Amino acid sequence: MTRPVLLLDVVGLTADALRHMPRLSRLAAHGSRAELGTVLPAVTCSVQSSVLTGRMPSGHGIVGNGWYFRGLGDVLLWRQHNRLVEGEKLWETARARSGGAYTSANLGWWYAMGATTDLTVTPRPIYHADGRKSPDFYARPPGLHGELREELGEFPLFQYWGPTASIRSTQWIVEATRRVLDGVVGGRGGPGAPDLTMAYLPHLDYDHQRFGPDAPEAARAAAELDAAMAPLLDRADAQGVTVVALAEYGIARADRPVDVNRALRREGLLEVYVQDGREQLDPWTSRAFAVADHQVAHVYVADPADVPRAAAVLRDLDGVDEVLDRDAQARYGLDHARSGELVAVAEPGAWFTYYFWLDDDAAPEYARGVDIHRKPGYDPAELFFDPADRLAKARAAGNLVRKTLGLRYAMSTVPLDPSCVRGTHGRLPDSKADTPLLLSSDPAFLDGASDRVHATEVRDLVLRAQGLADERMPHPTERDRVAPR
């Protein structure tokens, strides 16, 4: 009989964070612990896909949290369709090896839409025809939505990301996961945990980026998360469920925003167009532009003849550590058709903004809002109310009243000065302080493995723990484990 596994993505979990997490520390002390060798870019979508497929980004195609979709001519971040991930996923392999008698649940891991898991729960706002956005979530089977909403209330979307992000969103996911482990929701036909239950716990992402991983607020966030997780860990222990907890990345101190797109624009490589007096990125006519994603930026160059010029601009930019062409990308397992012709990697402490305008008065409307799907790059400033606007919080409160009345509103509260950001990630770790961890409640989980496990190895470790390993499968090559700098 397959032993059930609870696979937790504890975002930002490092040795420093673990010191403030007594319940999770006790699990590791009685179980097993290793450092996790992450991938470049060390961001949510890329690392999760490596964990679940056992492949590097060059093999599964998730080269970041988003990229330039060349066939559409658009930059798209935070897509959800599971078909974007190339390769067989962990639960698909397990299902085939078990003869089909294998159940799985996904609560919040990315690329959930259209996935072949038996149960799926993922945030999914309602975008109304009049422009309003309301909290909601997607659930499959469909009846699961009503069950969870009745028991837990609406998913707290505005505490999941943005300036009001807090422990509430993680608590909701934890409580939903407990109910799935108990078999009391989802209509699977009987009690007990699925063979594989995956849950995404994002809480450390917030204050670690807002204040830095070494700030008192970061320590408090770790303690809050541990307290929220404790009932779930206790439930798993009582049911004989093996817990595997990992982080995709550790968050490092940040103090230098780098405006890579503005540098390309000043050199005449990036173009904009204007609507209603506001500038918009023009990817169709730009000779080169960057999709900024924390400390990694994919730079798309339309004409191969412009690659050397674009590379020179990037190398001359203060805060850029490496500029990877296709050959260099191959060393990191990042050489995929979705990658930019060039990939820039920031120096320690630096990170890339997506900003392409040269005058804040010309910034697009979405720049001052929490708008993760329209921005052509990641924006950690969305975690803040604009400190230069004394009325930002009051205006946000007024807009929430308008929302409850069914009126349209615009949350223009995000600062355009990125210097408030204090934590970042994306490059390969530079020290143990920003190295992610892999923990398990099973003392035998890492038997035969070293004290450093690569993200591409986690899949097979879970299969082995469940008695579904294929001993004929080779371990990842050295190139797949970690590329040299």
Side-chain angles (χ1 to χ4, degrees), residues 134-395:
S134 297
D136 201 5
F137 60 99
Y138 170 91
R140 179 175 176 270
L144 181 58
H145 184 279
E147 294 178 58
L148 290 177
R149 188 170 184 177
E150 181 178 353
E151 295 190 21
L152 303 179
E154 190 53 80
F155 178 75
L157 181 73
F158 300 117
Q159 285 73 48
Y160 185 64
W161 183 249
T164 56
S166 73
I167 191 66
R168 282 190 59 205
S169 56
T170 294
Q171 288 171 331
W172 194 99
I173 296 171
V174 165
E175 289 304 312
T177 306
R178 286 177 62 193
R179 284 160 171 77
V180 169
L181 287 187
D182 285 345
V184 298
V185 294
R188 289 184 291 110
D195 295 304
L196 175 68
T197 303
M198 303 183 299
Y200 176 68
L201 308 179
H203 186 56
L204 296 188
D205 229 12
Y206 309 144
D207 283 354
H208 284 218
Q209 290 190 69
R210 287 175 178 137
F211 303 106
D214 52 354
E217 294 88 347
R220 284 198 294 270
E224 277 186 323
L225 176 59
D226 191 66
M229 291 173 60
L232 178 60
L233 299 178
D234 292 345
R235 186 65 54 86
D237 184 52
Q239 294 183 353
V241 176
T242 298
V243 176
V244 178
L246 57 83
E248 314 112 322
Y249 48 79
I251 295 175
R253 189 78 183 172
D255 54 19
R256 286 188 294 158
V258 179
D259 298 330
V260 60
N261 273 322
R262 286 172 171 164
L264 293 169
R265 181 175 178 180
R266 290 188 178 103
E267 291 296 320
L269 292 168
L270 182 148
E271 292 192 22
V272 300
Y273 64 97
V274 178
Q275 287 185 318
D276 195 26
R278 297 179 181 274
E279 294 179 346
Q280 311 289 337
L281 175 67
D282 193 343
W284 309 290
T285 62
S286 291
R287 302 179 75 88
F289 66 92
V291 178
D293 197 355
H294 299 84
Q295 292 181 300
V296 174
H298 286 272
V299 181
Y300 294 89
V301 187
D303 186 343
D306 286 328
V307 169
R309 181 181 169 200
V313 172
L314 298 170
R315 291 191 178 101
D316 288 343
L317 188 59
D318 184 41
V320 172
D321 186 17
E322 293 185 279
V323 179
L324 310 176
D325 59 16
R326 286 293 190 207
D327 289 340
Q329 290 171 34
R331 296 203 313 268
Y332 289 92
L334 190 52
D335 49 324
H336 191 276
R338 294 170 179 166
S339 293
E341 280 68 31
L342 299 168
V343 174
V345 181
E347 293 177 347
W351 60 277
F352 297 126
T353 75
Y354 78 94
Y355 305 159
F356 52 82
W357 57 92
L358 303 180
D359 182 344
D360 283 351
D361 289 338
E365 187 177 32
Y366 58 67
R368 291 179 170 85
V370 178
D371 206 337
I372 65 172
H373 296 301
R374 282 205 295 166
K375 292 181 180 178
Y378 173 70
D379 185 10
E382 290 185 345
L383 287 168
F384 298 85
F385 287 109
D386 188 351
D389 182 356
R390 293 183 296 106
L391 299 177
K393 290 184 180 181
R395 190 179 300 112

